[in-house]
Amino acid sequence: TSIISTKWRYLFASISTIEFDRYLLRGLTHRNVDSFKNFVDRLLKLPDQVSLDCFRLRDGISCNDGGHDFDVSGWICAALCRGVKEIDLELHNLGDVPPVLFTCHSLVTLRLDARGCKIEVPSEVCLGNLKTLQLIHWVLFGDDSIHRLISNCHVLEDLAFIECFVENARELHIQIPSLKNLVLHFVARRDRDLNYGVVIDVSNLVYFRYNAAIVECYSHMKSLEKADICIYGFHSNLSIDATHLIQGICNVWYLSLNIHEVISGTSRLPIFHNLIEFKFCGRETSLVEFLHCAPNLKTLTIRFLDFERTRWKALTIEVPSCLSFHLKEIEFSCFDTHMIEMVNYFLDNAMVLKKLIISMDLLTWIQKAEASSQLLKLLKSSNKCLIVIL
């Protein structure tokens, strides 16, 4: 545009959102890449520029390929000097992350993918306006650097550990009064990575997502409304069950639970008085327990890892109260033909049921035809419920 009018020549310096990714470098010669690097330097470091709303480096732009030696640390520091509010960085194998990143008072959102990078949290953290923090591919060691980082974010509302590793740590303690959303996604590379505990003491938390192997987890989340829980067990930690974690989320009205062999048969589940929507993926035996603990449940989605039929038959002895008074919609995800008996049970005992959804994505055409024929027979005997076959 500066060709059209020379007055526009320096307008690029007034933009408030800057994003660079590897796609910008495709097909460029070495000379073009050097010109690009110089352009970025000018864009970020020229004096008398407006403050930045967002600075983003994505998809490996920080890798110093071809000997061009991008000054990524300098770019980050320049963005901080311009009072940037949001920083989104994928610093794959960059090296050292400038410690000044954790002392920027203007930051409101920080997303840091630190795969292959060295991260040193300074002794004095100053992130007084930070509301959203996402840490991706971090290795959480036994020192107090993570605790020092998150405990100095006094207005933090959203915190996420995504695909992070825990090494040589005894406990991860999260105690942030302002926190509303929390995501814990930990990856266990070996059994010794599981020798730690998680303590969550966040009284104002509204949403919680946990995706990891089960460890000793104690929580206090009295304001929690929604939870997405995916837990799995290794042979070495089967003695640890998910009871403490489940007890901490008993106030939710929405729960998505993907669970394996991690609830002990002797454990006592809490009563989910507020739960009205439940998505379950696991073993049939665990579902029986949860139905008895959710008296006000209205919507149920089921996906079985297996179907043993043994504990399910026990429901005919004592019908859960949610079936008698509240359950209005049921969906079978990945329906199989041997679940016909269960469908029949719901039609007979869910007294206020309005809709039954059957998803047959995994069945062959022959199996779908057979299942549909059996379901139509059930439909004729039940005039109170709409059956939807997908």
Side-chain angles (χ1 to χ4, degrees):
T1 55
S2 60
I3 297 176
I4 300 175
S5 173
T6 56
K7 295 179 180 180
W8 294 351
R9 185 175 181 181
Y10 296 104
L11 283 181
F12 74 91
S14 65
I15 61 177
S16 60
T17 297
I18 300 176
E19 177 176 354
F20 301 115
D21 59 47
R22 179 171 289 277
Y23 293 106
L24 293 171
L25 303 182
R26 286 186 174 180
L28 296 183
T29 64
H30 286 286
R31 181 178 179 182
N32 292 145
V33 172
D34 287 336
S35 297
F36 167 77
K37 183 181 68 173
N38 294 333
F39 169 76
V40 177
D41 289 338
R42 291 175 58 213
L43 178 61
L44 287 170
K45 298 176 183 179
L46 283 177
D48 301 326
Q49 293 181 337
V50 298
S51 61
L52 280 180
D53 290 330
C54 178
F55 177 62
R56 183 175 293 119
L57 294 174
R58 303 296 301 274
D59 197 25
I61 187 70
S62 58
C63 296
N64 293 321
D65 298 333
H68 293 287
D69 193 22
F70 295 113
D71 183 20
V72 176
S73 293
W75 294 353
I76 295 173
C77 292
L80 297 176
C81 290
R82 291 178 57 179
V84 64
K85 296 180 179 65
E86 177 182 348
I87 285 188
D88 185 350
L89 305 174
E90 287 186 3
L91 303 180
H92 295 179
N93 303 303
L94 171 64
D96 296 345
V97 172
V100 69
L101 180 64
F102 304 107
T103 61
C104 180
H105 192 71
S106 65
L107 269 181
V108 177
T109 299
L110 173 59
R111 179 186 180 274
L112 179 56
D113 186 339
R115 181 182 300 175
C117 300
K118 181 180 179 182
I119 306 294
E120 290 188 4
V121 179
S123 57
E124 295 185 1
V125 176
C126 180
L127 294 169
N129 288 312
L130 193 69
K131 292 186 177 181
T132 300
L133 176 62
Q134 291 186 10
L135 305 177
I136 305 168
H137 297 126
W138 277 52
V139 179
L140 312 181
F141 292 104
D143 57 23
D144 64 345
S145 59
I146 289 297
H147 181 265
R148 184 168 64 250
L149 173 59
I150 62 178
S151 62
N152 283 283
C153 301
H154 301 297
V155 296
L156 194 64
E157 296 181 359
D158 303 291
L159 173 62
F161 294 92
I162 301 175
E163 296 188 29
C164 293
F165 302 93
V166 179
E167 290 189 357
N168 303 320
R170 298 184 61 183
E171 183 178 274
L172 177 63
H173 194 170
I174 301 174
Q175 186 177 15
I176 308 172
S178 59
L179 202 62
K180 295 181 179 179
N181 302 294
L182 175 63
V183 175
L184 301 180
H185 181 185
F186 297 138
V187 180
R189 294 176 290 194
R190 49 192 175 274
D191 291 351
R192 72 181 183 89
D193 288 344
L194 304 175
N195 297 324
Y196 65 94
V198 178
V199 178
I200 305 170
D201 187 6
V202 187
S203 58
N204 294 313
L205 199 67
V206 176
Y207 173 76
F208 176 52
R209 178 158 67 92
Y210 182 91
N211 188 340
I214 189 61
V215 296
E216 292 288 355
C217 184
Y218 300 89
S219 57
H220 175 65
M221 299 178 281
K222 63 180 181 180
S223 298
L224 197 64
E225 297 178 0
K226 300 180 66 177
D228 288 293
I229 308 296
C230 179
I231 49 183
Y232 52 91
F234 287 98
H235 292 295
S236 62
N237 74 330
L238 287 180
S239 60
I240 303 174
D241 65 42
T243 306
H244 292 298
L245 177 61
I246 299 299
Q247 288 174 344
I249 62 172
C250 64
N251 291 326
V252 295
W253 64 264
Y254 169 91
L255 174 61
S256 175
L257 182 65
N258 188 331
I259 194 166
H260 295 239
E261 297 276 5
V262 286
I263 293 185
S264 171
T266 60
S267 299
R268 187 181 182 89
L269 291 174
I271 303 298
F272 290 78
H273 292 286
N274 301 325
L275 188 63
I276 59 175
E277 185 174 350
F278 183 35
K279 295 184 177 181
F280 175 83
C281 177
R283 303 187 183 279
E284 160 253 350
T285 53
S286 297
L287 176 62
V288 173
E289 301 295 333
F290 276 97
L291 287 179
H292 280 292
C293 296
N296 298 306
L297 189 65
K298 294 182 179 180
T299 302
L300 173 64
T301 302
I302 306 171
R303 180 189 179 105
F304 287 120
L305 297 176
D306 68 0
F307 185 64
E308 300 172 357
R309 303 188 183 187
T310 54
R311 295 294 300 279
W312 182 258
K313 292 181 179 179
L315 286 178
T316 58
I317 301 174
E318 182 182 358
V319 178
S321 61
C322 63
L323 269 66
S324 300
F325 302 107
H326 299 287
L327 195 60
K328 295 183 178 181
E329 182 174 318
I330 302 173
E331 178 178 350
F332 281 87
S333 178
C334 300
F335 179 80
D336 203 346
T337 52
H338 59 254
M339 298 178 187
I340 293 291
E341 182 181 353
M342 183 186 294
V343 173
N344 189 39
Y345 172 84
F346 277 124
L347 291 175
D348 288 342
N349 294 280
M351 306 308 295
V352 295
L353 190 65
K354 300 298 182 183
K355 180 184 291 187
L356 180 64
I357 303 174
I358 308 292
S359 178
M360 301 184 182
D361 293 341
L362 298 183
L363 299 184
T364 64
W365 285 106
I366 297 177
Q367 291 173 326
K368 288 180 179 179
E370 178 185 351
S372 298
S373 176
Q374 293 177 315
L375 288 170
L376 286 174
K377 293 179 181 178
L378 295 179
L379 179 60
K380 292 179 180 178
S381 63
S382 175
N383 54 11
K384 63 179 180 181
C385 174
L386 172 66
I387 297 181
V388 179
I389 300 177
L390 303 176

